[in-house]
Amino acid sequence: MAVQLLEVPGAVSKSLSGRLGAKLDSRAVQFFADYQQSHDNFLVDVDGNEFLDVYAQIASNAVGYNNPTVVKASTSNEMALALSNRPCLGVYPGAHLADNIDSIMRIAPRGHNMMFPAQSGSEANELAFKAAFFLYQLKKRGLGAEWTQDELESCLRNEEPGSPKLSILSFKDSFHGRGFGSLSTTRSKPIHKLDVPAFDWPMARFPALQYPLESNVDKNREEVESCLKEVDELMSTWRDPVAAIIVEPIQSEGGDNHAPASFFQGLQDLTRKHGALLIVDEVQTGFGATGSFWAHESWNLREPADLVTFGKKAQMAGYFFGDKTLKPDKAYRQFNTWMGDEARLIVCNAIIDEILEKDLVTKVSAVGNALYNALEKLAQSYPDRVRNLRGKGAGTYIAFDTDGAAALCNKMKLLGVNIGNCGKNTVRLRPMLIFEEKYIPRLIAALVNAFKLPDSVQPGFATF
Amino acid sequence: MAVQLLEVPGAVSKSLSGRLGAKLDSRAVQFFADYQQSHDNFLVDVDGNEFLDVYAQIASNAVGYNNPTVVKASTSNEMALALSNRPCLGVYPGAHLADNIDSIMRIAPRGHNMMFPAQSGSEANELAFKAAFFLYQLKKRGLGAEWTQDELESCLRNEEPGSPKLSILSFKDSFHGRGFGSLSTTRSKPIHKLDVPAFDWPMARFPALQYPLESNVDKNREEVESCLKEVDELMSTWRDPVAAIIVEPIQSEGGDNHAPASFFQGLQDLTRKHGALLIVDEVQTGFGATGSFWAHESWNLREPADLVTFGKKAQMAGYFFGDKTLKPDKAYRQFNTWMGDEARLIVCNAIIDEILEKDLVTKVSAVGNALYNALEKLAQSYPDRVRNLRGKGAGTYIAFDTDGAAALCNKMKLLGVNIGNCGKNTVRLRPMLIFEEKYIPRLIAALVNAFKLPDSVQPGFATF
């Protein structure tokens, strides 16, 4: 029986795209969604196409379309107040802010009891960098030491000593955002970075593990040791002191690259050795998708990570910390007009309620195992199509390499599945936390059909 | 009769502040607001204190607390969908996005027909910088020229030629945000910048006008010429080419510093001479407060400004542009996960509806004249207290210098007025667009009373 292909984008999407494109750069638009009709794991477009969504708004939808708990929060009186009177949270917070922050702190990483809200993962990472730089200089200056006149004046000219030459170390293939600071630590793809001035900050190799892990134990251990050695050397020799290392638990945009706990433990040791901080970027990995609330929980670090940033599935962003010295020595240093958005804090808390009440993290762990097993079988049937399957035991955070990953993901849309790629040739699974085992056969069947379709069969949206 | 002083912060605020402060840096909190009870021009706190609010959430509330048009939009079905299903606007926009963008474009500056949404003024400015850098390199490379292998590889290492050494020129005392790129152009106060690594970008003097303007015509003209000459020299000699100038129509955080149209016309000429762009930062001045929708309308520029950024009163942020070559040559270059927040786009459109339907910009112009006249009279009675009164003809965007401006603003809270300071010793008026003439006597009376109170009478919140 011939496979039925959807028309993507459909006529309504195409017409809207023309209108939007006249005023906004809409070249990355794949279709226009009908959010009224979308539900749970299914994204419906304006032409009535229904997609099983295992990409979930670039890994940012945690609990499904029109989740009743989130809808309820979105239509609450408190929400209307937050939207209509947008408070500056740092100066005139509303009566509910203390409750809302308490509520967020339910899911704070181990050892962390403070947080700072932000609006994007990129902003969260930059705020974490600033916190690290403040602390680095505080230690250098000595606790309680006054700022010198030279520091106060030179910083306004972007000159030393007020604007110090310090750096953040990041890893090859990492993604930490697109601001000028966060982009300086992003090393994923030229399309993210080309033509933008960047800070002269160090980059180390991230372990390139070989799969299957069982048959590459020695090689992978050597690889981890070699990468840690490079970090140690860079921290010893880089012209500008390294105030912090930033690392993703699983490099996501860069190709779903995993590393063992020993690597991250080694990084923490190196930060201690060199007087730097460890920033764990959980913007994409956080909020349950890896089968634990925070991916870095599985590392069993000797001490808590210094700063943990989050975003995406939280529907807001920010960073957590535990060490009180990371709170700047003076008010207004870490500050901005809105300091996040209370409307999005309310949504975030509804999502946390839903995750905790429905025990979704545990469920992700179970469905992740089933999904991994199904993909392992698929890999046995299509060894050339499904290579380097990874993410075993990491919830639904599963990926594999395949030639023409982008083209494959495009074809999947014609087959009613929204799925994303990353890195050079990686298909990454990012289902929502409410993904269920019953959808696995549909996903696998679509992959099989997509393997059979020639790459020339592509949707009508611009592809890159 | 003795003046009755409010207790600020009251008991409830103090208790909430203790709770919040355990988890969030709340040292800048002045009081907790009761947004349910706040209305129009009045901010009510959780202890029942009512403040005439001429600071308006750091100049970000345009149409008043619990404005019915905004409340209606905040409780609409479309809003619930945007909140519950946060779309990635660049990939899976909702059915209403084209309408919402059309609606925003009603207020686009002259000559601008495209926009890019953002979440904060800081982000908007950085996106504008990126657009400027992309175009600068496109022109250098030649239209249609392919990226070289060297460019593609070097940008991942933050090295030339892929990460070019280009700069943005900004002005002494300017404020453009707190990200690593925007902060590199901010030159207002050490508290904003100290200890944060910065790009080595050029800073020019902003005209320091002398008041009253009528009696300083020659001096001020010479000052403008001298500042333009410095910009010209910096653009000719700075080690890294200047891709854009960013300037505020009125330097706001830096002390409400005004400059005449001739200065901005001169800047545009210099951008043309040196192959750079002019970015007008209307984050604080935009959306009507100066008596025109955009403050830069009054400059009568020969050509439209290249990029105009906005934020604050829009309750979202972004940049407008008209030149199609400012749309990057490839998709995904100017991109991020959410590309703004459709929930805030909806609020922004309700605010625009309200401004246009009630003709608020015209009203601001009228009430601004009355306010200026009242302050001019006050300056005659208290010449030592009200110095360098400025903002005549600039709507309600009025300011004056006074010794101990911060202490004065604090005392004003005890007298039931929320007002803000900026720069070294400047009181800035930032009433909402719905401010009415009938409130002027209350404001003036509070100022007179505050002048009489010793500076030692201060509210109980931390002051800086």
Side-chain angles (χ1 to χ4, degrees):
Chain A
M1 201 184 78
V3 174
Q4 200 68 34
L5 297 184
L6 301 178
E7 191 190 336
V8 184
V12 185
S13 267
K14 276 184 191 154
S15 147
L16 284 170
S17 194
R19 265 186 63 204
L20 184 66
K23 289 168 184 170
L24 199 81
D25 183 352
S26 64
R27 287 170 294 177
V29 169
Q30 301 187 346
F31 52 78
F32 283 74
D34 183 339
Y35 288 104
Q36 183 81 60
Q37 296 304 319
S38 300
H39 57 94
D40 310 302
N41 288 285
F42 291 90
L43 179 57
V44 176
D45 77 9
V46 288
D47 290 279
N49 297 311
E50 185 174 86
F51 304 91
L52 174 65
D53 193 357
V54 293
Y55 195 38
Q57 306 292 329
I58 317 182
S60 75
N61 186 322
V63 294
Y65 294 107
N66 293 305
N67 178 289
T69 304
V70 180
V71 170
K72 196 178 164 200
S74 301
T75 50
S76 64
N77 179 55
E78 194 195 338
M79 177 62 83
L81 291 173
L83 286 170
S84 310
N85 305 295
R86 189 166 193 172
C88 298
L89 300 182
V91 191
Y92 315 103
H96 294 291
L97 186 65
D99 288 339
N100 285 333
I101 297 296
D102 279 351
S103 201
I104 296 271
M105 293 308 293
R106 288 179 291 173
I107 51 82
R110 178 176 69 89
H112 288 192
N113 49 27
M114 295 196 76
M115 63 91 65
F116 196 97
Q119 297 196 85
S120 68
S122 181
E123 189 195 356
N125 285 334
E126 297 210 348
L127 289 166
F129 297 171
K130 287 173 83 168
F133 289 133
F134 292 153
L135 183 57
Y136 190 94
Q137 292 299 89
L138 180 81
K139 284 181 177 166
K140 190 175 165 189
R141 198 177 276 132
L143 210 75
E146 288 296 313
W147 298 335
T148 67
Q149 200 57 31
D150 191 16
E151 287 178 320
L152 295 172
E153 288 170 10
S154 59
C155 76
L156 295 176
R157 298 188 305 268
N158 296 6
E159 288 172 6
E160 296 182 273
S163 305
K165 291 201 182 301
L166 298 174
S167 67
I168 304 286
L169 183 145
S170 64
F171 293 91
K172 188 170 174 299
D173 297 320
S174 61
F175 184 92
H176 301 292
R178 288 173 176 259
F180 282 77
S182 52
L183 190 63
S184 289
T185 61
T186 287
R187 313 282 187 162
S188 41
K189 294 179 185 173
I191 197 86
H192 300 144
K193 288 178 69 78
L194 189 72
D195 295 342
V196 183
F199 288 106
D200 180 24
W201 289 352
M203 169 175 70
R205 279 173 50 245
F206 190 86
L209 299 186
Q210 298 194 28
Y211 290 86
L213 296 175
E214 307 80 77
S215 33
N216 291 284
V217 172
D218 288 345
K219 261 191 212 157
N220 287 337
R221 195 186 51 240
E222 282 161 27
E223 170 70 357
V224 165
E225 280 164 12
S226 153
C227 288
L228 287 171
K229 191 157 173 263
E230 189 185 357
V231 173
D232 193 13
E233 281 169 7
L234 282 168
M235 293 182 87
S236 306
T237 60
W238 194 256
R239 58 195 81 87
D240 303 321
V242 175
I245 293 174
I246 184 164
V247 70
E248 296 158 274
I250 300 164
Q251 289 191 325
S252 302
E253 298 308 311
D256 266 34
N257 307 317
H258 295 247
S262 59
F263 175 65
F264 300 101
Q265 290 163 1
L267 289 183
Q268 184 168 61
D269 291 343
L270 290 173
T271 57
R272 293 304 169 261
K273 175 178 170 187
H274 293 283
L277 300 179
L278 182 61
I279 303 172
V280 180
D281 177 344
E282 292 251 24
V283 170
Q284 191 158 164
T285 51
F287 272 63
T290 66
S292 49
F293 200 96
W294 301 108
H296 79 276
E297 286 172 36
S298 63
W299 302 344
N300 296 311
L301 292 175
R302 269 174 285 278
E303 302 172 39
D306 297 298
L307 299 126
V308 174
T309 61
F310 65 99
K312 288 198 181 265
K313 285 189 179 59
Q315 298 280 287
M316 55 170 281
Y319 69 87
F320 292 104
F321 63 104
D323 180 350
K324 281 199 188 315
T325 62
L326 273 168
K327 184 169 128 180
D329 54 348
K330 287 196 169 64
Y332 284 111
R333 298 194 75 182
Q334 194 77 303
F335 182 83
N336 57 62
T337 299
W338 290 316
M339 288 183 38
D341 184 343
E342 189 149 36
R344 289 291 170 194
L345 265 167
I346 295 168
V347 167
C348 182
N349 274 319
I351 291 165
I352 295 171
D353 287 347
E354 189 73 357
I355 293 174
L356 298 182
E357 277 164 29
K358 304 236 164 100
D359 199 15
L360 290 179
V361 181
T362 308
K363 285 180 182 161
V364 163
S365 191
V367 76
N369 288 336
L371 183 57
Y372 187 90
N373 292 339
L375 286 162
E376 200 166 39
K377 267 193 206 145
L378 186 71
Q380 282 155 9
S381 308
Y382 297 87
D384 295 343
R385 297 288 200 161
V386 181
R387 296 195 311 269
N388 302 324
L389 181 66
R390 50 201 185 270
K392 189 175 185 171
T396 54
Y397 220 94
I398 299 169
F400 59 86
D401 296 335
T402 196
D403 294 336
L408 180 73
C409 291
N410 288 335
K411 286 188 285 182
M412 289 289 278
K413 277 181 192 76
L414 303 177
L415 296 159
V417 174
N418 189 34
I419 190 169
N421 63 301
C422 61
K424 285 198 179 66
N425 264 320
T426 298
V427 174
R428 55 171 155 174
L429 286 161
R430 294 291 188 276
M432 306 167 198
L433 309 183
I434 57 162
F435 185 73
E436 292 180 59
E437 216 170 312
K438 65 181 176 194
Y439 301 125
I440 296 176
R442 178 167 169 172
L443 173 63
I444 300 291
L447 281 168
V448 169
N449 282 326
F451 293 157
K452 292 175 183 165
L453 274 181
D455 276 0
S456 58
V457 178
Q458 288 283 304
F461 53 80
T463 53
F464 309 95
Chain B
M1 201 184 77
V3 175
Q4 201 68 34
L5 297 185
L6 301 178
E7 192 191 334
V8 183
V12 184
S13 267
K14 276 183 190 155
S15 149
L16 283 171
S17 194
R19 267 186 63 203
L20 184 65
K23 290 170 184 170
L24 200 82
D25 184 353
S26 63
R27 288 170 293 178
V29 169
Q30 301 188 345
F31 52 78
F32 283 74
D34 183 339
Y35 289 104
Q36 184 79 61
Q37 297 302 320
S38 300
H39 57 93
D40 310 300
N41 288 285
F42 291 90
L43 179 57
V44 176
D45 77 9
V46 288
D47 290 282
N49 296 312
E50 185 174 87
F51 305 91
L52 174 65
D53 194 356
V54 293
Y55 194 38
Q57 305 292 329
I58 317 181
S60 74
N61 185 322
V63 293
Y65 294 106
N66 293 305
N67 178 290
T69 304
V70 179
V71 171
K72 195 177 165 202
S74 301
T75 51
S76 64
N77 179 56
E78 193 195 339
M79 178 61 83
L81 291 174
L83 286 169
S84 310
N85 304 296
R86 188 167 192 170
C88 298
L89 301 182
V91 191
Y92 314 104
H96 294 290
L97 186 65
D99 289 339
N100 285 334
I101 297 295
D102 279 351
S103 201
I104 296 270
M105 294 306 295
R106 287 179 291 173
I107 51 81
R110 177 176 69 89
H112 288 195
N113 50 26
M114 296 197 74
M115 63 91 65
F116 196 96
Q119 296 197 86
S120 69
S122 182
E123 188 195 356
N125 284 333
E126 296 210 349
L127 289 167
F129 296 172
K130 287 172 82 170
F133 289 133
F134 292 153
L135 182 56
Y136 190 93
Q137 291 299 88
L138 180 80
K139 283 181 177 165
K140 191 175 165 190
R141 197 177 277 132
L143 209 75
E146 287 297 311
W147 299 335
T148 67
Q149 201 57 32
D150 191 16
E151 287 178 321
L152 295 173
E153 287 169 9
S154 59
C155 76
L156 295 175
R157 298 188 306 267
N158 295 5
E159 289 171 4
E160 296 182 89
S163 306
K165 290 202 181 303
L166 298 174
S167 67
I168 304 285
L169 183 145
S170 65
F171 293 91
K172 188 171 175 296
D173 296 321
S174 61
F175 185 91
H176 302 291
R178 288 172 174 261
F180 282 78
S182 52
L183 189 64
S184 289
T185 61
T186 287
R187 314 283 187 163
S188 43
K189 294 180 184 172
I191 197 84
H192 300 144
K193 288 178 68 77
L194 189 73
D195 295 343
V196 183
F199 288 106
D200 180 24
W201 290 350
M203 168 175 71
R205 280 173 50 246
F206 190 86
L209 299 187
Q210 298 195 29
Y211 291 85
L213 295 176
E214 308 80 77
S215 33
N216 290 282
V217 173
D218 288 346
K219 261 191 212 157
N220 287 337
R221 195 187 50 239
E222 282 162 27
E223 171 70 357
V224 166
E225 278 164 13
S226 154
C227 288
L228 287 172
K229 191 157 172 262
E230 189 184 357
V231 173
D232 193 13
E233 279 169 7
L234 282 168
M235 293 182 87
S236 306
T237 61
W238 195 255
R239 57 194 82 86
D240 303 321
V242 175
I245 293 174
I246 185 166
V247 69
E248 296 158 274
I250 301 165
Q251 288 191 326
S252 302
E253 299 306 311
D256 267 33
N257 307 316
H258 294 245
S262 59
F263 175 65
F264 300 101
Q265 290 163 1
L267 288 183
Q268 183 168 61
D269 291 343
L270 290 172
T271 58
R272 294 303 170 261
K273 174 178 171 187
H274 293 283
L277 299 178
L278 182 61
I279 303 173
V280 180
D281 177 344
E282 292 250 24
V283 170
Q284 191 158 166
T285 51
F287 272 63
T290 66
S292 50
F293 201 95
W294 301 108
H296 79 275
E297 286 170 37
S298 64
W299 303 344
N300 295 312
L301 292 177
R302 268 173 288 276
E303 299 173 42
D306 297 297
L307 299 127
V308 174
T309 62
F310 65 99
K312 287 200 183 265
K313 284 189 179 61
Q315 297 282 286
M316 57 169 281
Y319 68 86
F320 292 104
F321 63 105
D323 181 349
K324 280 197 189 315
T325 63
L326 273 167
K327 185 168 128 180
D329 54 350
K330 287 196 170 63
Y332 283 110
R333 299 194 75 180
Q334 193 78 299
F335 183 83
N336 57 62
T337 299
W338 289 317
M339 288 184 36
D341 184 343
E342 188 149 36
R344 289 291 169 196
L345 265 168
I346 295 168
V347 167
C348 182
N349 274 320
I351 291 165
I352 295 171
D353 287 347
E354 190 73 358
I355 293 174
L356 299 182
E357 276 163 27
K358 304 237 164 99
D359 199 15
L360 290 179
V361 180
T362 308
K363 285 180 182 160
V364 163
S365 191
V367 76
N369 288 337
L371 183 56
Y372 187 90
N373 291 339
L375 286 163
E376 200 167 40
K377 266 192 204 146
L378 186 71
Q380 281 156 9
S381 309
Y382 296 89
D384 294 344
R385 298 288 202 162
V386 181
R387 298 194 310 269
N388 301 325
L389 181 67
R390 51 201 184 269
K392 188 173 187 173
T396 55
Y397 220 95
I398 300 169
F400 60 86
D401 295 335
T402 195
D403 294 335
L408 179 73
C409 291
N410 289 336
K411 287 187 285 184
M412 289 290 277
K413 277 183 192 76
L414 304 175
L415 296 159
V417 175
N418 189 35
I419 191 170
N421 63 301
C422 60
K424 284 199 180 66
N425 264 321
T426 297
V427 174
R428 56 172 154 172
L429 286 162
R430 294 290 188 278
M432 306 167 198
L433 309 184
I434 57 162
F435 186 74
E436 291 180 59
E437 215 171 313
K438 66 182 176 195
Y439 300 124
I440 295 175
R442 179 167 169 173
L443 173 65
I444 300 292
L447 281 168
V448 169
N449 283 326
F451 292 157
K452 291 175 182 165
L453 275 181
D455 276 359
S456 56
V457 178
Q458 287 284 303
F461 53 79
T463 53
F464 308 94

